[in-house]
Amino acid sequence: AVVSTQSTGEEEEKGKEEEAKPLSKSAAKREAKRRKIEEEEKLRSAERKTDTTAAETEEDFERLVAASPDSSASWVSFMAYWLGRGNVERARTVAKRAFDTINYRLESEKLNVWSALFNLENSFGTSDSLMSSCQAAAAVNDPKAVFTRLAAVLDKSHKFEELDEIYSSVLLKKHRRSRNVWCGYGTSLARQEGRMSEARELLTKALKSLPKHKHVRTISHFAQLEYKHGEPAKGATMFENVLTSYPGRLDLWSVYLDKTIAQGDHEQTRLLMDR
């Protein structure tokens, strides 16, 4: 029994020693990501229990943000309350309070409020106030995430000249190795009337800038844009070419098949399934 007790004690001491060992950089990064996901999930759970539609007065919204201080939904609803009453400055003040209040680790929640502020400046402010807000956001958050949010606001409001400028002077200039940046701009161009050819040219530029391991998914994305906004035959050719090099990519076959089925081409669908 004594031996057993000593063995258990040794195991416990060993466990403590292992716990005390510093984590490697990759392990620490994974642990930080895990904790962030857990915090965001707790916040989403709290938001589901928060009924922002029940708030009608300033006092109601004050109680709402006091009860859920880390919830971007609560703060954005409070901003909307003031905008609905034509008080843009009070809405800006609420946004600034949100930035000071939301937990610094919940970057996505803060970015949601920044997006709401971008929408506010885009609709009620000036181009200078919009860019000033964006620069302020980029100073305290991931710049790529911030300018991607700004691009989404400009795209949604059809301010395409400003959108082109953001991509050319910031996103594509500083983040040329980001597949999401190239695909995001390509999607915007493809949706705009008469700019599909520019989207095709963009793909050529993207493949020259992106690491090779990102090429397949990028080509797949632009091929899908052809089906939706351009020429489906071009999209099919793109899939055929990439599958010649990567015949074992089941994810590509699946997307290609789905697009073919959506086109109503029963013969081609049968041939693809046979292959």
Side-chain angles (χ1 to χ4, degrees):
V2 174
V3 174
S4 176
T5 302
Q6 289 177 339
S7 176
T8 302
E10 289 174 358
E11 289 175 357
E12 289 178 352
E13 288 299 319
K14 185 178 179 182
K16 290 178 181 178
E17 288 177 2
E18 290 177 349
E19 288 178 1
K21 290 181 180 179
L23 295 173
S24 65
K25 287 185 178 180
S26 59
K29 189 175 182 180
R30 287 194 299 271
E31 178 62 15
K33 185 176 181 180
R34 183 188 67 78
R35 290 180 179 176
K36 183 178 180 181
I37 291 173
E38 286 182 354
E39 288 176 350
E40 291 180 345
E41 180 55 37
K42 288 179 182 177
L43 182 58
R44 282 192 290 269
S45 178
E47 286 180 348
R48 285 192 288 269
K49 298 176 183 178
T50 303
D51 184 8
T52 59
T53 61
E56 296 180 350
T57 67
E58 179 181 356
E59 291 73 20
D60 289 339
F61 282 102
E62 288 291 355
R63 284 192 290 270
L64 185 66
V65 296
S68 304
D70 291 329
S71 169
S72 59
S74 298
W75 290 103
V76 171
S77 295
F78 201 179
M79 291 173 67
Y81 166 81
W82 286 118
L83 289 177
R85 282 152 182 76
N87 199 328
V88 176
E89 197 54 43
R90 290 295 295 272
R92 289 191 179 104
T93 300
V94 169
K96 292 174 183 176
R97 285 176 57 193
F99 302 141
D100 292 336
T101 303
I102 295 175
N103 190 306
Y104 73 93
R105 290 191 295 267
L106 301 175
E107 185 176 358
S108 62
E109 293 299 311
K110 288 200 171 191
L111 283 173
N112 289 340
V113 181
W114 280 111
S115 290
L117 185 59
F118 296 162
N119 275 304
L120 180 154
E121 298 297 351
N122 188 49
S123 299
F124 303 102
T126 64
S127 58
D128 287 341
S129 67
L130 176 59
M131 288 309 301
S132 178
S133 294
C134 186
Q135 294 295 346
V140 294
N141 296 280
D142 173 21
K144 185 176 77 169
V146 168
F147 280 96
T148 298
R149 297 276 185 133
L150 176 61
V153 169
L154 295 172
D155 192 13
K156 188 175 181 179
S157 59
H158 293 188
K159 292 187 176 181
F160 299 129
E161 288 186 15
E162 293 89 336
L163 178 68
D164 292 341
E165 178 62 23
I166 290 298
Y167 272 106
S168 63
S169 66
V170 181
L171 287 172
L172 292 179
K173 186 176 182 179
K174 298 182 179 180
H175 306 286
R176 299 184 66 82
R177 295 173 67 83
S178 170
R179 188 186 75 87
N180 288 338
V181 168
W182 290 100
C183 290
Y185 192 27
T187 299
S188 176
L189 290 174
R191 284 200 300 249
Q192 297 174 45
E193 186 176 355
R195 302 192 72 180
M196 190 64 209
S197 60
E198 293 179 59
R200 295 177 184 126
E201 293 172 4
L202 190 72
L203 173 60
T204 301
K205 296 177 182 177
L207 296 179
K208 292 179 180 178
S209 299
L210 291 171
K212 193 162 185 178
H213 70 273
K214 295 184 179 182
H215 284 195
V216 173
R217 290 181 62 198
T218 303
I219 293 171
S220 173
H221 180 87
F222 278 80
Q224 292 175 68
L225 291 179
E226 288 288 356
Y227 277 96
K228 190 171 183 179
H229 304 288
E231 301 177 28
K234 287 184 182 292
T237 299
M238 293 166 71
F239 275 119
E240 288 289 346
N241 289 339
V242 75
L243 282 168
T244 297
S245 301
Y246 302 93
R249 288 288 297 264
L250 296 180
D251 57 327
L252 294 180
W253 283 108
S254 178
V255 175
Y256 185 17
L257 183 60
D258 286 345
K259 295 300 178 183
T260 303
I261 292 173
Q263 289 294 308
D265 190 336
H266 302 299
E267 180 62 21
Q268 183 63 14
T269 298
R270 185 185 63 78
L271 292 173
L272 284 178
M273 294 183 73
D274 288 343
R275 289 166 64 188

